[in-house]
Amino acid sequence: MDNDAKDEDWVPELLREEAVRRKKQRRQEREQKERPQQYYTGPVFALKSVRSQFRHKSSMKGQGVLTLFGFDEANTNVKGFRQKPSPMSHTEFPRVVEDAEESSVQEKFAPGREEMVRVQEKSVESVLTLEEEIVRVREESIEPVLTLEEEVAVRVREESVEPVLTLQEETVRAQEESAEPVSILETGSAAPASQDPVGEAWEEELDEYILPKAKAEIRGWEELRDQIKEDLSQAKKKHVPLSQINQLLIIRNFATLRLKGFPRIEASQEIAKQWHEGEGVHFTRRVRELARHYQVFEQLPRERRGGMRTSMSLLSDEGTRKAALMWLSAQKVGTVTPRTFREALNSSILPSLGIQRSQPLSTRTARRWLVKLGWRLTRLRKGVYMDGHERPDVVKYRNESFLPAMEKYERQMTHYDENLKRIPPVLCPGEKEIIPQFHDESCFHMNDIHSQAWLGQGQSILQKKGKGRFSHVSDFINQVDGRLVLRDADGNIIRDARQVIYPGANGDDWWDTAQLLEQVKDAISIFEAAHPNCVALFIFDQSSAHASLGPDALRAFDMNKSDGGKQRRQKDTIIPQTNPDVTKRGKPQKMTTSDGKPKGLEAVLTERGFNTRGMKAKCQPICPFENDDCCMARLLSKQDDFLNQPSMLEQLIRDLGHECIFLPKFHCELNPIEMYWGWCKYRYRDEQKNTFAAAKGAALKWLDACPTDVIRRFINRAWRFMSAYRRGLTGRAAEWAVKKQRGHRAVSERAMTSIEAVLN
C-alpha cells in the first residue's frame, strides 16, 4: 500500500474498463425499464419463509425504530421498543398523507403515499398504521432491543461481535434474490425502483439516517489503509492463524478497489473471482460483511470456531493419564480398540479415580486419547523391519572398523572412472592387487509381479494369494569380470561361482551355512584360476549364517556352573590382555580338566582371577540389558577371547590366503549386488511365467543379461557412498535417502536417486 491508492499495479486495466462498461449498461437498462404500478407495504423479509426470517433475525435488529425511515420521533410507537406518545390517530392518517403532498415528503415518499392511499380507500377501519404493520411482521421474531442511539453507543468499538448486515447491504441482498421492486420500508427512501440502490448517494443517505452519531467515528478506506497495512504486518510477525491473514488480505484488496471507484458489490465480486472459481453470491456477501465490520469496529471479527479447544481435558491430569496407560499396557498386543478403551474408561478407570461424569465418554474421545497416549492404527505386515541405520553400535562399527579397513584395501584395488576407464592401483613391493567380491542372496518368486499397473476405467487385477515357488540365488560380483566366472580363450563361461537351488516341498534343501562354505571354496578356486597373483576381498552382510561359529567355539552360555555334565567340549584359549589380573594375561588356558571333562563357568573364571562367591551362574530368563557382570555367563562372555571369535566363514577364507570383511548392519546401499538384484528383478517381473519351469528360465535369463559396465557403475556408486560417510555426509546423504525406502534387503530406485542427487 503506497501513499496513492490508485497506484495499485495488481488491479488490471481490463477490470476498470469492465466496471465502466457495466455501469453504463445498468444505466441504460434503468432508463428502458418501466415504472412499477404498485409497491409492497412491508419488508421483503415478511414475504419470505419462516426459515429465511429466522436466518436474518440478527440483521433486522434496530429496524423497528421508525426514525430510520424518515418519520419524526414523536410518531414512533412500536411494541418492544421505547414507548412515546403518538398524536396521530387512524382518522388523522389520511390527512397527514395529504399534507405530505405539499411538503418535502412529497418528493421522498411518493410511491409509498400512493400505496397507503390505495389501502386506506379500500377500508378506512381495516387500514393498519405503519407501526402496527411492523409489529405484525416482527412480533414473533424480534426481541426487545435498545434504541438506535443507545445501541450505537454500546456496539461501536466494542470487542468483536458477529458481523451484522447494514440496512444497505440487506437491501442489496433482497434485490439480488428477488426482481420485485422495493418499498419504502426496505430502502429507507422513496426513490423509484429504477434508481440504483447501491450508488454512492444512497450509501451517504443511509449513513445519514442510520448512524447520525457514530458517523464521525467511522473512517473511510483512505484513512484505514495504513492501519490495514500495519495489522497485516503484525499478524505475520505474531504468526496468527492463516484464516486471519486471509481476512486482512481480502479487506486490503476491498479497500483498494473501493478507492479506485468500484461500487461495493463490484468490488466484492472481483475479490471472489480472485479467491474462488465459479459463480455465487455467498462469498461476495461475506466479503462485504467483513469489510463493513472492519470499517465500523476497526478490527477483525472474533474467531468463534474451535469449540472447547482451550478447555482442560481429563487426560491432562497426571493420575488419569497413568491409570489409562496402566490399563493399556496390561492388555494383550493387538486387542486394544477405541470401543474397548471407551468401555474401560467409563466402567473402571474413571470411577476408580473418583471421577463421575454426567455423560459417558464417547468412542471418538477414546480414539483421540489413544493417539495422544502413543497408540496408532497400523497396517499389519508379515515381515518385521527395524531401522537401526544410525544405532550407536552400528555407527561405531561403521566409522571405527569398516570404513578404515575399506580405505586401506581400496589403495590396492583397480578402479574405473566415470567413463569406465580402468585405473590400475599403485602397488608397493610385495603387495598384491585386491579384487573385491560382493556377495548376497536373493529369491525369484514365480508370482513376483509389479506392485503397480496402469488400468483403464473399470479394470482391475486379481492378485494371486501366494508368491508361488521360488529360485534361491547366491552369487558374487566384482568390477573386473562383472560376475565371478572363469572364461576360456573365446570368452565363454566354463565355471561359475553362482549357486541356484529350488527349495520347498519335494525340492532342494534350504540354504544353510554348510552350502555357503562349499560355495566359497568353489569361488576361491575359480578366482585363483581367473586372477592369479591377486587377493580376493570377500564382502558379506551381517547375518546369522555368516556369523556361525564352529562346533568347538567358545560359548559361555553353553557351559554349566560346575565341571562335567551335559555340556560340549570347547577349544583351548589364551587369556586376553584385558584380563583384570595382570599376572594371568597371555597365559594359555585349557577348557577341559585333567580327566577330559569340560570345565564349568566357576572354574574358568577362578583361573582368570575373578571372585565368583555369591554370583549366580545365569540370569533367568535373560540377562538385564547393558551390563557386564550380572552372572557368571555374562561376565565370561564379555572377555575378549569369547567376544571376538572369527566365524567359520571368515576362518575358512583367511586360511586359504584371502581377506574377508562384513558390511555394517542396515547398510544395504553399500552393497552393489543389491542394485544388481533390482536390475534383474525389474525385467524378470515383466516376463510371462505360467509355469515354474518358465519362471526358472526367466530368472537365469536376466541374471546372465546384466552387462559388465552396468555392474561397474553399481560398484562405483557404492564407493561414492563410502566416501560420503568418510566426509561426514551421513545426515545429509545416505541416512536421509535410506529413510525413503521401506525394505532392508534392497535399495529402491527412489532412494538411490535421492542419494545420487545429494552426493552430486
Side-chain angles (χ1 to χ4, degrees):
M1 303 293 291
D2 299 327
N3 294 331
D4 189 0
K6 296 182 180 180
D7 291 339
E8 288 294 336
D9 54 357
W10 63 271
V11 180
E13 186 68 24
L14 295 176
L15 293 182
R16 308 178 202 172
E17 296 177 357
E18 180 68 16
V20 175
R21 186 188 64 78
R22 284 184 292 183
K23 186 174 182 180
K24 183 178 179 180
Q25 182 180 359
R26 288 196 304 270
R27 187 184 304 110
Q28 294 176 356
E29 292 176 355
R30 288 195 299 268
E31 293 176 356
Q32 298 174 0
K33 187 176 181 180
E34 297 182 0
R35 182 171 178 174
Q37 301 298 324
Q38 61 181 0
Y39 295 89
Y40 290 109
T41 59
V44 175
F45 298 119
L47 304 178
K48 296 184 179 296
S49 63
V50 178
R51 180 180 179 182
S52 298
Q53 295 181 27
F54 179 79
R55 173 183 170 190
H56 300 288
K57 178 180 178 181
S58 60
S59 303
M60 299 176 63
K61 289 184 179 180
Q63 297 186 15
V65 182
L66 299 184
T67 55
L68 304 181
F69 307 103
F71 289 87
D72 297 334
E73 293 186 0
N75 299 334
T76 60
N77 185 17
V78 183
K79 181 179 180 181
F81 297 85
R82 291 185 178 272
Q83 303 294 327
K84 293 187 178 181
S86 177
M88 182 168 54
S89 61
H90 296 290
T91 57
E92 294 175 342
F93 185 77
R95 180 177 58 79
V96 173
V97 176
E98 295 176 359
D99 294 341
E101 296 178 356
E102 300 177 359
S103 63
S104 59
V105 182
Q106 179 179 4
E107 299 178 356
K108 203 169 189 178
F109 301 99
R113 177 182 58 78
E114 294 177 6
E115 180 65 20
M116 294 177 186
V117 172
R118 184 182 63 79
V119 176
Q120 191 270 341
E121 290 177 353
K122 182 177 180 180
S123 176
V124 177
E125 296 180 358
S126 63
V127 171
L128 298 176
T129 63
L130 185 60
E131 89 183 30
E132 294 173 347
E133 179 68 16
I134 297 177
V135 169
R136 183 183 65 81
V137 175
R138 296 183 174 84
E139 68 177 2
E140 294 183 0
S141 61
I142 301 294
E143 297 179 0
V145 297
L146 300 174
T147 60
L148 179 65
E149 295 78 10
E150 297 177 353
E151 184 179 1
V152 171
V154 173
R155 290 171 58 199
V156 175
R157 300 294 182 271
E158 189 176 288
E159 184 177 358
S160 214
V161 295
E162 285 290 333
V164 180
L165 292 176
T166 60
L167 186 61
Q168 172 190 2
E169 294 170 341
E170 196 59 55
T171 305
V172 173
R173 177 186 295 183
Q175 292 195 359
E176 290 177 350
E177 297 179 353
S178 174
E180 300 292 342
V182 184
S183 69
I184 181 177
L185 298 180
E186 301 167 62
T187 61
S189 64
S194 61
Q195 184 176 348
D196 187 4
V198 297
E200 297 297 336
W202 190 92
E203 185 176 2
E204 295 176 358
E205 182 179 0
L206 177 66
D207 292 339
E208 181 180 356
Y209 283 123
I210 294 183
L211 301 172
K213 295 184 179 180
K215 181 177 177 61
E217 300 182 11
I218 298 180
R219 298 186 293 172
W221 292 115
E222 189 172 5
E223 299 179 7
L224 293 173
R225 182 178 55 186
D226 295 336
Q227 180 174 332
I228 297 173
K229 180 180 178 181
E230 181 64 24
D231 291 349
L232 188 58
S233 176
Q234 293 296 329
K236 293 180 179 179
K237 291 180 181 179
K238 296 180 180 180
H239 303 287
V240 301
L242 183 60
S243 59
Q244 297 186 13
I245 295 179
N246 291 339
Q247 290 178 2
L248 290 172
L249 291 174
I250 290 175
I251 296 174
R252 186 190 68 177
N253 297 351
F254 183 85
T256 304
L257 291 174
R258 291 287 289 146
L259 292 175
K260 286 185 173 292
F262 279 72
R264 301 179 73 255
I265 293 183
E266 265 73 357
S268 61
Q269 289 175 349
E270 295 299 337
I271 294 176
K273 292 179 181 179
Q274 299 171 9
W275 287 77
H276 290 282
E277 296 181 358
E279 300 179 356
V281 297
H282 175 74
F283 187 77
T284 60
R285 293 171 181 169
R286 295 296 300 171
V287 170
R288 295 195 296 270
E289 293 174 3
L290 178 64
R292 187 59 173 170
H293 185 279
Y294 189 90
Q295 192 176 20
V296 173
F297 299 101
E298 297 185 4
Q299 62 182 359
L300 294 176
R302 185 174 58 187
E303 183 63 62
R304 296 182 179 272
R305 291 174 295 182
M308 304 298 291
R309 185 185 303 172
T310 58
S311 61
M312 183 65 67
S313 172
L314 287 176
L315 196 61
S316 302
D317 180 65
E318 188 66 23
T320 306
R321 188 181 187 88
K322 288 183 178 179
L325 284 173
M326 187 179 301
W327 184 89
L328 291 171
S329 302
Q331 307 305 309
K332 186 179 179 180
V333 177
T335 60
V336 175
T337 63
R339 183 179 58 82
T340 57
F341 186 45
R342 179 206 64 190
E343 295 174 355
L345 286 170
N346 295 326
S347 61
S348 59
I349 299 177
L350 295 182
S352 65
L353 299 174
I355 299 176
Q356 299 292 335
R357 290 180 52 85
S358 58
Q359 294 182 353
L361 295 177
S362 63
T363 306
R364 186 176 180 181
T365 301
R367 185 181 295 107
R368 290 199 302 267
W369 282 25
L370 282 175
V371 173
K372 291 181 179 180
L373 293 173
W375 264 249
R376 295 292 185 273
L377 184 61
T378 308
R379 183 185 298 274
L380 299 178
R381 301 181 183 275
K382 293 183 179 180
V384 178
Y385 170 66
M386 296 185 299
D387 185 10
H389 194 273
E390 294 302 310
R391 209 168 59 188
D393 59 330
V394 177
V395 174
K396 181 179 179 181
Y397 173 76
R398 181 188 68 202
N399 296 338
E400 298 180 5
S401 300
F402 178 77
L403 292 178
M406 289 300 298
E407 186 176 9
K408 179 181 177 182
Y409 291 137
E410 283 184 38
R411 190 181 59 82
Q412 300 175 240
M413 295 181 186
T414 297
H415 294 279
Y416 292 83
D417 59 11
E418 295 180 358
N419 299 323
L420 300 182
K421 181 180 179 181
R422 184 176 182 273
I423 303 176
V426 179
L427 301 176
C428 297
E431 291 183 343
K432 294 182 180 181
E433 180 182 352
I434 295 178
I435 301 178
Q437 305 292 332
F438 296 91
H439 171 268
D440 195 29
E441 302 155 6
S442 183
C443 295
F444 288 75
H445 291 267
M446 177 180 174
N447 299 332
D448 190 3
I449 61 175
H450 288 288
S451 59
Q452 297 177 346
W454 291 91
L455 301 176
Q457 186 175 4
Q459 295 179 343
S460 62
I461 296 178
L462 182 61
Q463 298 279 16
K464 296 184 178 180
K465 294 182 178 180
K467 292 186 177 182
R469 295 191 62 184
F470 64 92
S471 304
H472 181 278
V473 183
S474 177
D475 203 355
F476 299 88
I477 65 171
N478 61 72
Q479 55 193 356
V480 178
D481 303 320
R483 294 193 307 109
L484 182 55
V485 294
L486 179 62
R487 301 178 184 270
D488 57 13
D490 297 331
N492 299 321
I493 299 176
I494 57 178
R495 293 184 63 185
D496 195 340
R498 181 175 61 200
Q499 293 291 332
V500 182
I501 61 174
Y502 308 101
N506 301 324
D508 299 330
D509 295 334
W510 294 92
W511 188 258
D512 55 10
T513 306
Q515 298 182 55
L516 176 61
L517 295 177
E518 291 298 328
Q519 182 190 14
V520 171
K521 291 179 182 179
D522 186 49
I524 291 176
S525 64
I526 294 175
F527 175 82
E528 292 177 347
H531 304 282
N533 299 323
C534 292
V535 176
L537 173 63
F538 289 91
I539 303 175
F540 299 90
D541 58 5
Q542 296 201 28
S543 66
S544 57
H546 300 163
S548 298
L549 300 177
D552 59 346
L554 301 176
R555 297 176 182 270
F557 285 91
D558 291 349
M559 300 171 62
N560 297 335
K561 181 178 181 180
S562 57
D563 300 340
K566 294 182 179 180
Q567 58 178 336
R568 62 182 179 84
R569 289 180 174 85
Q570 302 184 12
K571 63 181 180 180
D572 298 339
T573 182
I574 297 177
I575 300 177
Q577 296 296 328
T578 57
N579 192 71
D581 192 347
V582 181
T583 61
K584 306 290 185 180
R585 294 177 182 176
K587 293 184 178 182
Q589 183 180 28
K590 285 186 169 292
M591 298 300 293
T592 57
T593 61
S594 58
D595 55 355
K597 294 181 180 179
K599 289 183 179 180
L601 292 170
E602 188 173 9
V604 173
L605 289 174
T606 303
E607 292 177 0
R608 298 191 179 205
F610 289 97
N611 183 13
T612 60
R613 180 176 299 178
M615 183 179 294
K616 55 186 176 181
K618 300 175 186 178
C619 296
Q620 295 294 336
I622 58 174
C623 295
F625 186 69
E626 291 184 354
N627 72 92
D628 296 333
D629 54 356
C630 60
C631 61
M632 296 182 185
R634 183 77 170 188
L635 179 59
L636 185 58
S637 66
K638 290 296 182 179
Q639 299 300 301
D640 287 350
D641 55 339
F642 279 76
L643 192 62
N644 301 322
Q645 295 185 88
S647 63
M648 290 189 295
L649 180 62
E650 185 178 4
Q651 190 67 40
L652 172 64
I653 295 173
R654 288 184 175 165
D655 289 345
L656 295 176
H658 298 277
E659 298 293 336
C660 177
I661 193 172
F662 294 93
L663 293 165
K665 295 180 180 179
F666 308 99
H667 283 67
C668 53
E669 75 277 3
L670 299 181
N671 196 352
I673 198 173
E674 299 282 5
M675 311 172 203
Y676 168 71
W677 298 136
W679 189 95
C680 298
K681 285 190 175 183
Y682 183 83
R683 291 151 180 81
Y684 170 78
R685 294 188 182 104
D686 292 333
E687 292 282 342
Q688 293 292 335
K689 304 176 287 291
N690 298 326
T691 61
F692 184 54
K696 292 190 293 184
L700 295 176
K701 169 187 174 181
W702 292 112
L703 286 170
D704 295 335
C706 186
T708 303
D709 289 346
V710 174
I711 296 177
R712 289 172 180 171
R713 294 188 184 278
F714 290 158
I715 296 176
N716 285 346
R717 182 178 293 176
W719 295 135
R720 289 198 297 271
F721 296 156
M722 296 181 194
S723 178
Y725 282 114
R726 294 192 191 101
R727 298 197 308 268
L729 298 179
T730 305
R732 291 181 293 168
E735 176 193 4
W736 169 73
V738 168
K739 290 182 179 179
K740 292 180 176 292
Q741 67 177 14
R742 298 184 180 181
H744 167 63
R745 297 294 302 170
V747 184
S748 64
E749 181 180 1
R750 178 184 179 188
M752 300 304 299
T753 305
S754 303
I755 298 175
E756 283 291 322
V758 176
L759 293 180
N760 293 335

